[in-house]
Amino acid sequence: MRVLIDACVLYPTVMREVVLGVAAQGLFDPRWSPRILEEWARAARKIGPEGETIARGEIAAINARFPKAQVRIPQGVEARLWLPDPNDVHVLAAAVGCSADAVMTVNAKDFPRNVLAEEGLQRVDPDGFLIGLHDSYPDEVQSVGDAVLDQARHLSGDPWEMRKLMRKARLPRLGKRLSQD
């Protein structure tokens, strides 16, 4: 399954690490556009002046890790599309342009299912999507969750528990599922 990932999924860090960790396991094919990555870098400014610099380094790393993930929007596609928030049309255009199966976003209201369906796309939220993958590939998703938890503990120095970390990352159902295994 080819999934275009919106900036709101790539930033924050824990959500991104879980989603891309699962993609690295070969469970889906991630896609994004240069503009989506730019939105992530600009959003990272909120944590301070070093935030954007860190984000740009992370962007370079994921582009190297997933060399086929970055897509270009074909000329003219964006002009024929509509979404409730015109600032999100580029996301839909990128999904259409790369023949994605779905758009992964936490921004449901700005990506109406009926509008996406007209373009042959589904809208998936990260938590529900990851739960579905866990149902089919429990060992792979569990190993990604465990690795992200270990990294969070290492980087923060805090004794994170799976459910709490995933809830903070807006992946509460996944956190519950990963804690049961």
Side-chain angles (χ1 to χ4, degrees):
M1 175 178 233
R2 184 174 295 159
V3 180
L4 187 93
I5 304 173
D6 196 5
C8 60
V9 175
L10 293 171
Y11 182 77
T13 302
V14 172
M15 184 183 290
R16 175 183 67 250
E17 291 301 313
V18 175
V19 168
L20 294 183
V22 169
Q25 293 281 331
L27 304 186
F28 78 96
D29 191 13
R31 295 288 190 264
W32 46 74
S33 70
R35 186 166 169 189
I36 289 169
L37 298 177
E38 185 61 28
E39 282 186 10
W40 163 17
R42 285 191 316 248
R45 291 180 193 160
K46 295 175 187 173
I47 63 172
E50 73 284 350
E52 183 176 356
T53 302
I54 292 167
R56 292 199 184 279
E58 292 169 334
I59 288 166
I62 69 162
N63 277 328
R65 186 175 177 195
F66 298 98
K68 295 180 182 178
Q70 193 162 177
V71 300
R72 300 276 178 207
I73 300 172
Q75 193 165 355
V77 171
E78 208 169 330
R80 72 170 182 80
L81 299 172
W82 176 88
L83 284 173
D85 183 348
N87 292 323
D88 288 324
V89 171
H90 73 95
V91 176
L92 178 56
V96 169
C98 74
S99 301
D101 300 299
V103 173
M104 183 183 295
T105 186
V106 295
N107 188 4
K109 71 179 178 60
D110 288 334
F111 291 91
R113 290 190 191 279
N114 63 322
V115 174
L116 270 61
E118 290 173 6
E119 300 297 333
L121 294 162
Q122 301 173 36
R123 181 190 73 226
V124 297
D125 74 279
D127 201 26
F129 184 75
L130 292 167
I131 287 289
L133 289 177
H134 184 272
D135 289 345
S136 299
Y137 307 98
D139 295 339
E140 291 87 341
V141 177
Q142 185 70 51
S143 72
V144 169
D146 291 343
V148 171
L149 177 62
D150 289 345
Q151 186 72 355
R153 287 174 175 163
H154 173 75
L155 292 174
S156 71
D158 293 333
W160 284 101
E161 293 182 11
M162 183 69 78
R163 285 182 81 166
K164 186 175 180 183
L165 180 65
M166 293 299 142
R167 187 170 50 247
K168 182 175 171 52
R170 299 181 354 202
L171 301 170
R173 293 181 298 155
L174 180 65
K176 183 176 181 182
R177 185 73 57 88
L178 294 176
S179 295
Q180 293 172 352
D181 290 349

